Amino acid sequence: MCGIVGYIGFEDVKEIILGGLEKLEYRGYDSAGIAIANNNNVYVCKEKGRIKDLRGCLDVNVTGTLGIGHTRWATHGVPNKINSHPHQSCTKRFTLVHNGIIENENELREKFLKDIEFTSDTDTEVIVQLIEKFVSEGEEVELAIRHTMSELEGSYALAILDKEDMNTLYAAKNKTPLLAGKGEGFNMIGSDAMAMINYTNNFYEIEDKEFLKITKEKIEIFTIYGNKVTRDTYTADIDASDTEKGTYPHYMMKEIEEQPFVIRKIISEYSDENGDLFVEPEIVENVKACDKLYIIACGTSYHAGLIGKQFFEKIAGKPTEVVIASEFIYNMPLLTEKPLFLFISQSGETADCRAVLVKVKQMGFKTLTLTNVKGSTLSRESDNTLLLYAGPEIAVASTKAYTAQIAVLSILAAKVNNKINIDIFKELGKIAYTMETLCDDKDNYKELAEKFLVKSRNCFYIGRSMDYFVCLEASLKLKEISYIQTEGFAAGELKHGTIALIEHDTPVIAVITQESINLNTRSNIKEVKARGAATMVISLKKLSNETDDIVIDDVNELLSPLAAIIPAQYLAYYAALLKGCDIDKPRNLAKSVTVE
Ligand code: F6R
């Protein structure tokens, strides 16, 4: 969702801010803007559309060494130039960008800002007008910002310029990610490390309700009450090249093809010096000690959780329930006495998961987060963290994070291991190799996408047991980037209603990787074929028929989702490519979903 970059230092900020915003494009946005402190004035430029549109309207002659930038994903007010950030106070003294949602904006307008004529439909404008109001009533700027923070209900990451002090960049945070980057003769802020990684790899985490005063020499962090906070910096586990596409046409293609490497990296990160399986003992103990594991996640991460449940129940013998985060709060399952909550979140910032985390912590339960982003909100706020080691995932559609989640879940289950012994590293090693072979067959997937999918309005993925969970993820991939309406369906359930939707040439893709269900799913394929469907089969070699379209080398059946998803990711990629869709940035979507 929205992204923020800010810089104060010695170089011209334009490219630093625009480049940083481009690094945040993956989060999803519909407009962008920049403010540059220039000769005791603040130059503001904003535009609906992409960063390239913003570049197009920017006055190249404006220079400055202090600036802030923003990508907006509309929540309050349509995506247009006026609603884009930055926003300015009525006298234009203060200029501000904001990520998050202010829940009490109406009350604040009513209580403090009745006389102000607002120019936009955003909740953000309330913040900048409040700061100006408190300053006009005699408060010092720092106090006015902290006072404003204390009035706000909701989430915010803020970057603020004061026209009367061109040597300071102010920032604040609550429930929305924000990092400060420390440099030599300059300092930065950003929604994530990637926005700053070309300039620094030295970051301060910022806690909720903290306020920052930043000059080119120093970063000072304060509580909302004005007490100074001391904190060490940390380095992020990424380098600048991780965030580049290299020779790949799209990040999604790069990330699909990184999967074998990621699986091997996970094996090495979860090994001890003897090459044996290592997971932090406290985590293993917590899983062993709980009477039920509750997996909380959204979207693709939820799909990984469904497969994780199979590992925990079949390998570790641990009862497990998987709940969609946004449902949990309103429809909480009857909890056991000693539950452990496992949050799965690539970004570690998903607001729906965080809402559950806050709730279950209040209830006194233990929590564990599985995430790709060290230092992310969910990671910081959980008792323990397991990292994915997948490297930055930039394409909005998750690929390598999904398989990394499944791989780490299998490792944790194998470590707990109460039921069956599995040489998990050997099996995952086979998976990495099989993924490579599958990646080599991409011309085949392109042809299949062209033949079966491109001209279709809708499509079905069908499977049973573990294959059904793969189908859920495969269908999400296809629909989110190609906009073909796709359903992942339990193959045996079709005949109970949904088979009515099968028409001449409706694509039905069957996934068959489990011996126990092979014949049943094949019967379901016959049923839809008899009603005119155009069928495609993805199967494991030992279960395959001559006519199957994609055959996967034999791997451990429990881990087969890790292999079976690869062709499905490519099918989605090629369907979107052939339809001319924006593969890495599908419409309406955001990578990091920081609103509930
Ligand atoms: C789909 C996708 C989303 C995310 C979901 C949760 O490709 O990426 O469905 O999985 O928004 O995000 P995280 O894992 O960051 O919590």
Side-chain angles (χ1 to χ4, degrees):
M1 297 202 149
C2 309
I4 283 182
V5 192
Y7 173 95
I8 181 163
F10 53 87
E11 280 187 61
D12 182 34
V13 282
K14 269 197 304 297
E15 267 317 308
I16 299 174
I17 301 281
L18 291 171
L21 291 179
E22 277 161 352
K23 296 275 187 199
L24 296 176
E25 282 191 299
Y26 77 97
R27 299 164 74 91
Y29 71 108
D30 41 50
S31 45
I34 185 168
I36 300 172
N38 167 268
N39 292 335
N40 294 326
N41 220 324
V42 174
Y43 165 80
V44 172
C45 178
K46 43 197 197 174
E47 196 53 84
K48 183 180 171 198
R50 298 297 186 197
I51 309 291
K52 64 175 170 20
D53 303 306
L54 177 65
R55 282 182 182 281
C57 71
L58 202 62
D59 179 348
V60 288
N61 298 316
V62 175
T63 56
T65 55
L66 165 62
I68 54 180
H70 189 261
T71 49
R72 173 173 188 253
W73 190 84
T75 54
H76 291 54
V78 295
N80 63 18
K81 195 168 174 149
I82 291 174
N83 290 333
S84 306
H85 302 208
H87 289 281
Q88 293 189 293
S89 57
C90 48
T91 66
K92 297 201 186 316
R93 172 167 175 184
F94 294 99
T95 306
L96 169 148
V97 293
H98 165 223
N99 291 354
I101 290 184
I102 303 307
E103 287 154 12
N104 60 338
E105 57 153 334
N106 291 336
E107 291 90 311
L108 293 174
R109 281 175 206 259
E110 194 57 29
K111 186 167 165 196
F112 296 107
L113 303 167
K114 268 192 169 146
D115 303 333
I116 301 291
E117 210 169 295
F118 283 82
T119 54
S120 74
D121 300 325
T122 63
D123 51 341
T124 300
E125 204 183 332
V126 167
I127 312 174
V128 74
Q129 302 289 15
L130 261 189
I131 296 172
E132 167 101 38
K133 178 176 170 65
F134 294 144
V135 169
S136 72
E137 289 172 353
E139 290 182 10
E140 296 287 330
V141 172
E142 288 172 43
L143 178 61
I145 297 174
R146 289 190 285 103
H147 184 176
T148 302
M149 289 165 68
S150 70
E151 296 289 347
L152 300 178
E153 281 171 25
S155 55
Y156 53 82
L158 304 173
I160 308 157
L161 299 183
D162 173 7
K163 200 167 72 168
E164 291 184 13
D165 176 4
M166 294 292 187
N167 296 314
T168 310
L169 166 63
Y170 297 100
K173 170 194 179 311
N174 189 41
K175 297 194 208 162
T176 290
L178 187 72
L179 291 179
K182 188 169 158 43
E184 292 288 320
F186 72 92
N187 287 306
M188 298 184 75
I189 50 164
S191 296
D192 66 30
M194 281 188 279
M196 301 177 268
I197 197 74
N198 281 343
Y199 300 93
T200 179
N201 192 354
N202 217 0
F203 300 107
Y204 287 107
E205 282 176 359
I206 312 299
E207 304 277 342
D208 284 350
K209 300 233 166 132
E210 283 181 344
F211 160 75
L212 285 89
K213 187 177 173 193
I214 305 170
T215 60
K216 62 184 179 190
E217 289 88 18
K218 61 180 180 199
I219 297 174
E220 291 176 285
I221 307 174
F222 301 90
T223 65
I224 195 167
Y225 306 110
N227 301 322
K228 198 148 182 195
V229 174
T230 43
R231 183 169 297 146
D232 291 335
T233 56
Y234 75 96
T235 51
D237 192 18
I238 47 174
D239 66 54
S241 63
D242 285 344
T243 63
E244 304 295 340
K245 271 205 299 260
T247 53
Y248 287 93
H250 298 96
Y251 281 107
M252 185 175 176
M253 172 72 92
K254 174 174 181 254
E255 289 159 10
I256 290 175
E257 303 200 349
E258 280 172 351
Q259 290 175 103
F261 167 79
V262 172
I263 299 293
R264 292 188 182 112
K265 166 104 175 139
I266 287 170
I267 294 174
S268 101
E269 292 290 343
Y270 285 96
S271 301
D272 64 13
E273 60 281 4
N274 304 317
D276 294 331
L277 189 53
F278 176 80
V279 179
E280 210 180 300
E282 188 179 314
I283 296 177
V284 180
E285 283 319 307
N286 285 348
V287 178
K288 283 187 174 165
C290 75
D291 58 3
K292 189 164 183 178
L293 201 56
Y294 291 85
I295 296 181
I296 310 290
C298 313
T300 289
S301 299
Y302 169 74
H303 296 155
L306 293 171
I307 290 166
K309 170 182 160 83
Q310 308 306 310
F311 298 152
F312 287 113
E313 296 199 333
K314 296 194 168 104
I315 301 173
K318 187 61 67 184
T320 303
E321 188 164 342
V322 195
V323 190
I324 292 174
S326 55
E327 285 295 306
F328 183 92
I329 296 279
Y330 311 100
N331 199 1
M332 197 185 297
L334 191 60
L335 300 178
T336 53
E337 263 176 33
K338 215 175 167 207
L340 171 65
F341 284 85
L342 165 53
F343 296 86
I344 308 181
S345 174
Q346 186 282 132
S347 62
E349 301 293 348
T350 301
D352 290 325
C353 288
R354 185 166 189 262
V356 180
L357 176 68
V358 169
K359 176 142 194 142
V360 299
K361 275 177 71 174
Q362 279 164 359
M363 294 165 85
F365 296 130
K366 283 219 175 325
T367 54
L368 165 65
T369 285
L370 174 56
T371 183
N372 203 21
V373 186
K374 191 171 154 187
S376 57
T377 306
L378 290 174
S379 163
R380 276 188 285 112
E381 295 183 0
S382 296
D383 295 318
N384 300 95
T385 298
L386 284 169
L387 288 174
L388 294 179
Y389 300 106
E393 190 179 64
I394 312 279
V396 165
S398 183
T399 51
K400 62 177 180 172
Y402 168 75
T403 46
Q405 286 163 345
I406 295 174
V408 177
L409 290 169
S410 74
I411 284 175
L412 179 59
K415 188 70 194 171
V416 174
N417 173 22
N418 272 335
K419 221 169 167 191
I420 59 167
N421 271 323
I422 176 166
D423 185 345
I424 200 72
F425 285 168
K426 186 170 138 229
E427 301 300 344
L428 286 173
K430 263 197 237 163
I431 290 284
Y433 179 76
T434 306
M435 283 175 159
E436 270 162 3
T437 357
L438 288 164
C439 290
D440 288 342
D441 203 19
K442 57 177 177 267
D443 290 344
N444 180 28
Y445 314 137
K446 188 174 182 186
E447 272 174 37
L448 290 166
E450 193 154 20
K451 181 170 158 204
F452 281 91
L453 301 176
V454 175
K455 294 200 184 71
S456 303
R457 272 189 312 119
N458 56 1
C459 172
F460 289 90
Y461 266 96
I462 61 167
R464 289 167 180 251
S465 169
M466 299 285 272
D467 296 333
Y468 166 48
F469 305 131
V470 175
C471 288
L472 293 178
E473 173 57 12
S475 73
L476 178 59
K477 278 307 77 101
L478 183 57
K479 73 180 115 176
E480 71 180 324
I481 62 166
S482 76
Y483 316 137
I484 298 169
Q485 215 250 298
T486 313
E487 263 190 80
F489 226 81
E493 188 67 7
L494 267 183
K495 57 186 175 295
H496 298 290
T498 306
I499 201 164
L501 295 177
I502 304 294
E503 295 175 345
H504 179 68
D505 270 353
T506 304
V508 178
I509 306 172
V511 178
I512 303 177
T513 69
Q514 310 289 305
E515 189 147 19
S516 57
I517 52 78
N518 180 14
L519 298 180
N520 288 334
T521 303
R522 292 211 182 264
S523 301
N524 301 133
I525 298 171
K526 284 188 192 136
E527 287 157 15
V528 291
K529 225 175 177 165
R531 285 152 181 89
T535 57
M536 190 199 299
V537 179
I538 301 173
S539 63
L540 214 56
K541 196 172 194 165
K542 65 178 184 186
L543 309 174
S544 64
N545 282 356
E546 254 175 29
T547 53
D548 290 354
D549 302 272
I550 298 168
V551 175
I552 303 167
D553 287 341
D554 290 332
V555 290
N556 183 302
E557 284 191 13
L558 262 181
L559 297 177
S560 65
L562 288 165
I565 197 63
I566 304 285
Q569 292 170 342
Y570 276 111
L571 287 170
Y573 174 89
Y574 284 118
L577 183 75
L578 294 164
K579 287 185 72 182
C581 303
D582 188 345
I583 294 180
D584 287 335
K585 297 189 281 289
R587 70 183 177 213
N588 305 338
L589 295 184
K591 180 76 180 161
S592 178
V593 186
T594 48
V595 293
E596 280 177 48

